[in-house]
Amino acid sequence: MDRRKFVTLTSAALGLAPWARSSWAQQGVFRIGSLNPITGAGSPYGTGMLKAIQIGSAEVNDAGGAGGVKLEVYAEDSQTSPQAAVLGAKKLIGVNQVRAMLGVWSSGESLAVIPLTNDAGMILMNTAGAPALSAPPVNAKLLSFRLQATNDRFGRAFAQIAKREGFKRPALMAFNNASGIGNTEGFRKAWEAQGGQIVASVVYEPNRPTYRSEVQQVLRANPDVIVTGSYLTDTELLLRAWYETGQQVRWIVPGWAAGPDLIKAVGSQVAEGMISVESISDEGAPSYESFVSRFLQQTGMRAQDNVYATMAYDEVILLALGLQAVGPNATSAVLAAKIHELGNPGGTEVYRYADGKKLLAAGKKVTYVGASSRLNFDQYNDVTPDFAASFAQSGQFVRKYVVKL
Amino acid sequence: MTFADIVNLTLNGLISGMLVALPALAVSLVYGLARFPNAATGDVVSTGGYAGLFAYTASGSLLAAGAGAAAIGALVGLASYYLAFRAILRRSVITSLLTSIGVGFVIRALLGVMFGHQPRTFDMPITRAARWHGVMLNPTDGQLVLVTLAVLAIVFTLLYGTSMGRKMRALADDADLARVSGIGVERSMVTMWALTGAVCGIAGMMVGVRTVVSPDAGWDTLLPAFAAAVVGGLGNPLGAVVGAILLGVLQEWSTPLVGFVYKIALAYVVMLVVLLIRPQGLFNRVQGVR
């Protein structure tokens, strides 16, 4: 072969390759965008979420796919930043031609990405908390599913716990974003509805080297408990600033901020008595046990430390069961309605994809009992999980009781 | 709001100012000699955080951590000069600025790949502040102030008390005149990059001790450092330090009036006002050009 021929043939082959691939792709593959916070504030969870989505789609593919197609996962790092999330989503939608977006973590990212997924008419599954994500106009098409409790529900759980612990003078500290403020405002609503009063309230900016002035201002009102809508790093700085003052106060902190990492960072003495509130996985469910062991085996990470990984896993299984039920060519609205149904009681309860697939193929109605919670999607496709109150005791969080809303 | 509260705000402002002072000094030093705003400053700060953390974990001594952070910071500074900035020495500011943004990305990505994005902390007990009539003084902050002052003393002695410093200042003042007077650019550049790297490294260790060590930690100090350097007068090392502390204190003082969300904007409002009234910065003289 002479050089000219070689060049012509090679370029022809290169030019045809993507062509061939896409026609093959349209026949047998359903592409999923996995848009996770691998870096940034969500980095403790993002990698686990991606792995969970991969584990979930492997499970689906091993069971012969969903509705006749295989799942294919395309991943992008959202950097826990709305801007990066939008770029990632655009790439996943435009270049990789994914047909569902899973594993979106925070409210900021989800609120930024949802207009894109709505325009593309695809399912979005997130673990964000912001109340704005529920209702129209944001979720007017009801294509977005939320596997994490809303901040409003977190706030209500906080208020129940604060009441049960006998606190009288709560103060609020919120990270300045939709989720942080959503948490404390949810608490405020629930607390004031019980006839309580908030003694002080501060909204603080991210990425400051210290929050000492902020904490000092709140402590001036002499609260007996500080309720936060915060993340890991800023919570650490809040605790540091508070402990320095020597003033007595207790803390109620969302579980995504208050885990083993927080105690490691501030020391057990500082953390002692702190209350961490977390939506809990459905721990009795076989789906949970099976996921936890596979997750540990394949990643070396503990799913117990990453509730979002469990949620991301449920996202894949739900999507796949939906695809199995309505087929890969159904419209998103039909698919979304089916997923809503699969996440609610009324069908035969299943815990594994393969079992659900069998029943669906036999024309039965199915309810998927999630590993992350019993799901129970409300009219906005938001889950209503239970919450656990864990208390920091000599270096670890010990679960004391469960709160139902 | 009592008098003690105001004193506390002032102290808090001093501390946040001190944390920004060293990166601002580094920005100013680079600008003075190489004539561009170095956007990789923050990422050298992050590197210093990791170096300090590892040195501290290995030795248990903050002094060793500081030395380790300074050494690694200096190495990274030199590497960035030899691998990137040297090649574009006399190019336009835009070229240099874009290069520095690229260098920053490379450093941050390397840190992420090597150490992961999980924030890490110095394993140090948190100390209670001493209270005196409501005024709170924290021993850790005392150490932080001492370290900053020591670094500043060393840098300024080097700049104003040695012949290398005199050469660097001459180059900063008028590069062509300095060159025809027989001052070697290369040696001054090498010294400057090593020095700013070391300053950033120590800054990174201090940020790490106060907050967390993560690949993004330094990035958060970059914009405040730029603002401080501009307020003080770009290229003026003393101005950068005073600018940082001034902005830190003004931000805290503003909180009773504007709250905590808008205090950050205040730094940039001050910067705008300074640029309007004294475009050369608070500490720079206007120089006539003939």
Side-chain angles (χ1 to χ4, degrees):
Chain A
M1 198 188 312
D2 68 11
R3 199 185 59 213
R4 213 167 273 154
K5 220 180 221 168
F6 175 77
V7 171
T8 320
L9 281 177
T10 317
S11 36
L14 283 176
L16 282 174
W19 193 246
R21 187 148 171 245
S22 78
S23 70
W24 166 78
Q26 272 157 14
Q27 277 168 10
V29 171
F30 189 93
R31 297 182 172 189
I32 299 174
S34 182
L35 187 61
N36 319 112
I38 305 296
T39 58
S43 60
Y45 308 111
T47 305
M49 293 175 82
L50 173 58
K51 300 272 185 210
I53 287 174
Q54 287 165 338
I55 289 173
S57 38
E59 177 183 338
V60 170
N61 291 339
D62 288 347
V69 293
K70 293 229 173 226
L71 301 184
E72 222 173 69
V73 178
Y74 289 82
E76 276 296 318
D77 177 10
S78 67
Q79 300 174 25
T80 328
S81 132
Q83 293 88 335
V86 165
L87 284 179
K90 280 189 172 160
K91 186 241 168 192
L92 287 169
I93 296 170
V95 179
N96 301 124
Q97 305 191 331
V98 302
R99 292 166 68 191
M101 196 72 71
L102 308 189
V104 184
W105 187 63
S106 73
S107 303
E109 297 159 281
S110 306
L111 284 165
V113 166
I114 193 170
L116 301 177
T117 52
N118 274 344
D119 278 352
M122 66 171 64
I123 303 282
L124 168 73
M125 297 209 186
N126 65 69
T127 54
L133 272 167
S134 305
V138 177
N139 195 17
K141 294 181 167 178
L142 291 176
L143 294 180
S144 164
F145 290 79
R146 169 169 10 211
L147 280 278
Q148 167 69 304
T150 58
N151 291 124
D152 210 51
R153 289 184 170 93
F154 261 95
R156 270 150 59 195
F158 283 14
Q160 272 196 34
I161 291 164
K163 194 174 172 202
R164 182 162 168 169
E165 294 300 315
F167 293 122
K168 295 276 184 290
R169 299 176 55 79
L172 308 176
M173 297 198 78
F175 186 96
N176 189 14
N177 72 4
S179 160
I181 297 174
N183 252 19
T184 53
E185 286 310 303
F187 178 87
R188 183 196 294 275
K189 252 196 284 173
W191 187 255
E192 289 179 348
Q194 296 171 10
Q197 251 193 342
I198 310 288
V199 297
S201 171
V202 155
V203 175
Y204 58 86
E205 281 295 291
N207 300 331
R208 303 293 299 164
T210 160
Y211 292 109
R212 204 182 274 162
S213 301
E214 285 84 343
V215 170
Q216 285 171 0
Q217 165 145 335
V218 161
L219 288 178
R220 243 175 265 145
N222 238 336
D224 54 7
V225 64
I226 297 178
V227 177
T228 73
S230 56
Y231 295 97
L232 176 62
T233 306
D234 45 301
T235 306
E236 186 205 324
L237 298 184
L238 294 177
L239 289 175
R240 226 178 242 255
W242 154 70
Y243 188 79
E244 286 175 358
T245 67
Q247 192 169 326
Q248 256 319 309
V249 79
R250 296 279 297 281
W251 291 80
I252 300 182
V253 178
W256 58 79
D261 287 340
L262 182 69
I263 296 190
K264 215 176 92 197
V266 297
S268 55
Q269 199 190 346
V270 179
E272 188 71 21
M274 191 172 157
I275 305 171
S276 165
V277 183
E278 196 165 27
S279 64
I280 44 175
S281 300
D282 194 2
E283 284 153 7
S287 46
Y288 180 73
E289 280 167 25
S290 134
F291 172 69
V292 168
S293 68
R294 274 181 292 160
F295 191 67
L296 182 67
Q297 194 190 352
Q298 294 184 27
T299 68
M301 296 188 277
R302 277 164 42 91
Q304 290 90 332
D305 297 338
N306 186 351
V307 64
Y308 300 99
T310 319
M311 291 172 192
Y313 168 76
D314 280 344
E315 292 176 2
V316 185
I317 302 299
L318 269 173
L319 177 72
L321 286 173
L323 286 172
Q324 173 65 35
V326 301
N329 296 322
T331 64
S332 300
V334 172
L335 180 58
K338 183 50 89 179
I339 293 174
H340 179 90
E341 181 193 304
L342 286 162
N344 271 311
T348 313
E349 293 195 347
V350 296
Y351 299 92
R352 295 295 302 267
Y353 174 73
D355 303 336
K357 182 179 174 180
K358 242 178 263 160
L359 287 172
L360 285 170
K364 295 262 171 50
K365 209 175 161 196
V366 164
T367 295
Y368 174 62
V369 182
S372 62
S373 73
R374 291 194 68 84
L375 303 175
N376 292 341
F377 289 118
D378 69 3
Q379 82 254 41
Y380 301 119
N381 293 333
D382 293 340
V383 293
T384 311
D386 296 338
F387 294 86
S390 304
F391 290 63
Q393 278 177 353
S394 26
Q396 52 182 334
F397 280 106
V398 180
R399 183 181 297 180
K400 284 281 183 61
Y401 47 84
V402 171
V403 177
K404 286 178 189 293
L405 293 184
Chain B
M1 176 133 264
T2 62
F3 182 67
D5 294 332
I6 295 170
V7 175
N8 281 333
L9 281 181
T10 313
L11 287 174
N12 298 346
L14 273 175
I15 297 304
S16 27
M18 286 273 183
L19 283 175
V20 175
L22 293 186
L25 174 67
V27 167
S28 222
L29 283 173
V30 172
Y31 190 85
L33 237 62
R35 292 281 153 201
F36 71 94
N38 181 11
T41 307
D43 302 291
V44 184
V45 170
S46 311
T47 316
Y50 280 101
L53 180 66
F54 291 129
Y56 180 76
T57 316
S59 66
S61 130
L62 265 187
L63 213 60
I72 298 295
L75 276 180
V76 174
L78 283 176
S80 68
Y81 172 63
Y82 280 118
L83 297 177
F85 297 124
R86 191 162 178 242
I88 49 157
L89 209 49
R90 292 179 77 80
R91 299 278 188 81
S92 71
V93 178
I94 290 296
T95 310
S96 311
L97 176 64
L98 290 179
T99 306
S100 71
I101 292 175
V103 168
F105 274 131
V106 169
I107 297 176
R108 212 174 319 155
L110 281 178
L111 290 177
V113 168
M114 286 195 291
F115 309 117
H117 285 266
Q118 193 93 10
R120 304 186 191 203
T121 45
F122 277 74
D123 194 10
M124 292 167 76
I126 302 176
T127 46
R128 286 260 156 90
R131 269 173 182 260
W132 184 75
H133 295 292
V135 174
M136 281 183 274
L137 284 171
N138 192 293
T140 327
D141 291 344
Q143 290 170 355
L144 197 134
V145 171
L146 285 182
V147 172
T148 312
L149 291 179
V151 172
L152 291 178
I154 292 169
V155 171
F156 283 100
T157 313
L158 222 148
L159 278 182
Y160 293 94
T162 65
S163 77
M164 178 46 85
R166 200 158 53 242
K167 285 177 193 164
M168 283 165 73
R169 283 184 296 129
L171 269 170
D173 211 35
D174 188 329
D176 292 325
L177 188 59
R179 206 171 293 116
V180 295
S181 316
I183 293 175
V185 178
E186 181 72 8
R187 268 195 64 191
S188 305
M189 279 290 176
V190 168
T191 314
M192 184 274 287
W193 282 106
L195 182 66
T196 51
V199 167
C200 287
I202 293 175
M205 181 204 73
M206 296 199 309
V207 170
V209 168
R210 281 244 33 116
T211 63
V212 293
V213 178
S214 81
D216 314 314
W219 174 251
D220 299 330
T221 65
L222 183 67
L223 276 185
F226 271 171
V230 170
V231 166
L234 268 173
N236 184 324
L238 181 67
V241 173
V242 178
I245 291 170
L246 188 73
L247 287 182
V249 172
L250 281 179
Q251 279 189 354
E252 296 305 312
W253 278 351
S254 74
T255 55
L257 302 174
V258 302
F260 295 101
V261 173
Y262 295 107
K263 73 173 179 187
I264 295 161
L266 186 91
Y268 302 100
V269 172
V270 170
M271 188 178 93
L272 287 177
V273 172
V274 168
L275 283 177
L276 279 174
I277 300 173
R278 265 186 81 86
Q280 71 275 30
L282 291 178
F283 292 86
N284 275 356
R285 284 169 295 131
V286 180
Q287 291 173 334
V289 178
R290 268 176 285 187

